[in-house]
Amino acid sequence: MTQEQLVELLNDLSLDEKINQLFQGNGSFFTDKGIATGPAADQGFSELAISLCGSILGADGAEKLKGIQERYMANHPHHIPLIFMADVINGFRTIFPIPLAQGAAFDETVAFEGAVIAAREASAAGLHVTFAPMVDLVRDARWGRVMEAVSEDPYLSSVYADAIVEGFQGQDAKEPGKIGACVKHFAAYSAPVAGRDYNNVELSERTLRDDYMPAYEAAVKAGALLVMTSFNTLNRIPSSANKWLLRDVLRGEWGFDGVVISDWAAVEEVVFQDLAVDKKEAAKLCMEAGTDIDMMTTCYCDCLKELIESGELPVELLDEAVLRVLELKNKLGLFENPFKDASVEDEEKYILCEEHRDAARKACASTFVLLENDGMLPLSKEEKVLFAGPYVDEHGIFGSWSFVNDWSTTVTIKQGVEAKGVTAAYEKGCELLHKGQIILGMDKKYEGTVGKKQTKEMIEQAVEAAKNADKVVLCLGEHRAETGEASSKGELTISKDQIKLLSSIAEVNENITVVLFCGRPLDIRKIKKLAKAIMVVWLPGTEGGNAIADVLYGDAEPTGRLPMSFPYSVGQTPVFYGEFKTGRHFEPTQTENRFQSKYLDIPNAPLYPFGYGRGYTTFEYSDVTIEGDIATTDKVDLTVSVTVTNTGDKKGQEVVQMYIRDDKASVVRPVRMLKGYMKIELEPKESITVLFPITEEDLKFHDINMNYVVEPGTFTVFVGGDSTTDNSAVFEVTEA
Ligand code: GLC
């Protein structure tokens, strides 16, 4: 439809039709026969709201959605199509590594390809929009949703945001195999006080703009069709009712003209946050702030009519929101083709197809982070290996935002090792949950059933097996349901049973490799003490077992680097590399100086830093050189150069990382900031010269007056294999 036709349609709609275009219902409200008023009525949704709602979430399947669309449009007075939205975060049915793992790849093409494949499968299943990318900046491992994000670093998160939007939407979301992207959670949901989900977020505007906003802005600039408001209050104003955030920044400064959708029930939660006295006031505040769609509450559908008819809310605000929803439907091509790509035939062709599985398997190895390897890996097929631990034959190795219908489609470690024709021993050793431990997962309730006595026997059995093994691979970690939404934790260690298993085996066999499943950085001090090799595999998804076997036996190399710092202990969180100098910066040599910025009981440095990881070879870096003579506060055009050599005897990959420090500015600046990275692969003894451009965009920040500028002065460039490198050079920027 043309814009004129959309406006004509808008003007032809009744008030009820307009209002309910802004209501997003749930797939459970519809059956293949029509409206399932039962669950809807129980939640207070009227039949009118459901029959006129603009979109639904949480349903999928070509046949099902085509049926719903057909009956819905036939009954709608203007036959306007529904938008079908869902959380397709890291794969639809072919599940990729969780987004934090993808961030560990330090290769945005991994995330791009994952989004392309997810869009192909999801669009065949009738979906039009995904609630992704989630690019909240994550620096607090207590918060369970770090698993859905990319990184603690603004630059890495921004590069991925752009790639993921393009992977989902392509150049035009109405194209076959593409779906609309919805960047979330706007804004700064990932910095809740005390790391507790949904809690208030207090950040200075400068921290917001320099650290937390860039990735959202990158997604908007990449053309994301929607933005989702976050649950949290941002500096004591709920995001869904935050006019500065939605109208001044998002639309005013960034020029976003797409749809703003609230998170689930976030509009009504403005009442619970004591900003609104009732649903009617919540509806008014959120509409005035610029939240277009109310996800799953009756605030808009029950209250907007009275607000409009009483003149408390200008009809223009309603019309602008409804027009944006109609424009979104138009951008998705739904007026011409309301079923878009829904096709049973394509579901069968694409979902979990070999090409997708192969891509997922390859992606996994690039996300695995090898933290320690004292002669353990790769294994040889002739060695007698015991695989032990609760994850040894576990299918639940996919993230909590993946709703896998058939768990057997995920490959376990045991299956992956056996598929290599390797004979090995397997002992579970203990369960992930102890007897009586209950975790309410996103998909179901998990309950531990094995008691102390049986656990003791399982551990003893594993210890016996370990006595006869050359090496032991212990597959440990946190339960998949312990990460994701509403999964904040005050402790970051793995379970006592698993530590007991590890320490018992270590008494009889010191050749231990730990394969660690997690959705967040964990406190792995005990593991580090007892294992000779540690590989973080996150939650690797469908092909996890095959990929882990590939890497353990050297058919692939683990090439991930930490996208979030691994803390020494939870006491350090939030901990991240881009910290600030203090007036009493900790100097380890000053052992007699009490008055330094330090802890009495733990170190300042994380156990493993951002950007750290090893592979199966070693690399050497030349000194850093900087070429170019344009460096003024208006324009910077420099090139950083370093030569990297593979000094080992195996081919291997390295993530060359470039950081910049603004040595002095009108406000204090981070000790360094990532401004470039490149994943390279070198044959043994091969060298390559890596070049990084530096422009003025790399040096801008919000100065003492909140102007986004480059200030004159010296800058130090660091280039190395992680965020602790001191391989550096200096350049100077002069006043233009
Ligand atoms: C959830 C999440 C959000 C998700 C939405 C729809 O509560 O916060 O990330 O997209 O609801 O499922």
Side-chain angles (χ1 to χ4, degrees), residues 307-328:
L307 286 164
I308 297 289
E309 290 177 339
S310 67
E312 292 173 77
L313 198 70
V315 70
E316 291 72 19
L317 282 188
L318 174 69
D319 285 350
E320 74 170 37
V322 176
L323 183 57
R324 283 194 284 262
V325 173
L326 297 178
E327 287 167 345
L328 173 59

Side-chain angles (χ1 to χ4, degrees), residues 57 87 89 131 134 145 148 184-185 189 198 228 231 263-264 295 401 485:
L57 83 158
D87 294 283
I89 309 296
F131 298 125
M134 187 277 219
R145 302 194 73 166
E148 303 168 50
K184 68 187 184 184
H185 304 81
Y189 172 38
Y198 313 124
M228 181 186 289
F231 289 119
D263 201 338
W264 184 298
M295 184 192 289
W401 276 105
E485 184 170 352

Side-chain angles (χ1 to χ4, degrees), residues 111-188:
F112 171 81
E113 187 176 25
V116 168
I117 287 172
R120 193 180 293 143
E121 293 189 356
S123 60
L127 290 170
H128 305 144
V129 165
T130 177
F131 298 125
M134 187 277 219
V135 287
D136 304 335
L137 194 80
V138 285
R139 293 176 165 174
D140 189 335
R142 294 172 297 179
W143 192 56
R145 302 194 73 166
V146 301
M147 55 80 71
E148 303 168 50
V150 172
S151 166
E152 70 184 49
D153 175 76
Y155 175 81
L156 185 61
S157 302
S158 303
V159 172
Y160 269 65
D162 177 82
I164 296 169
V165 169
E166 196 184 333
F168 282 127
Q169 296 186 170
Q171 296 308 311
D172 184 340
K174 74 161 69 85
E175 290 304 311
K178 297 302 174 190
I179 54 178
C182 172
V183 60
K184 68 187 184 184
H185 304 81
F186 196 60

Side-chain angles (χ1 to χ4, degrees), residues 34-94:
I35 290 179
T37 46
D42 297 348
Q43 298 172 54
F45 295 105
S46 69
E47 199 154 331
L48 174 72
I50 297 161
S51 63
L52 297 178
C53 70
S55 58
I56 65 172
L57 83 158
D60 61 61
E63 207 58 49
K64 178 176 181 180
L65 295 189
K66 284 169 82 170
I68 291 173
Q69 189 75 291
E70 213 156 17
R71 272 178 298 290
Y72 172 87
M73 288 178 70
N75 294 328
H76 191 281
H78 281 83
H79 313 297
I80 297 175
L82 282 164
I83 306 176
F84 296 119
M85 304 192 193
D87 294 283
V88 181
I89 309 296
N90 47 289
F92 178 62
R93 292 286 178 267
T94 303

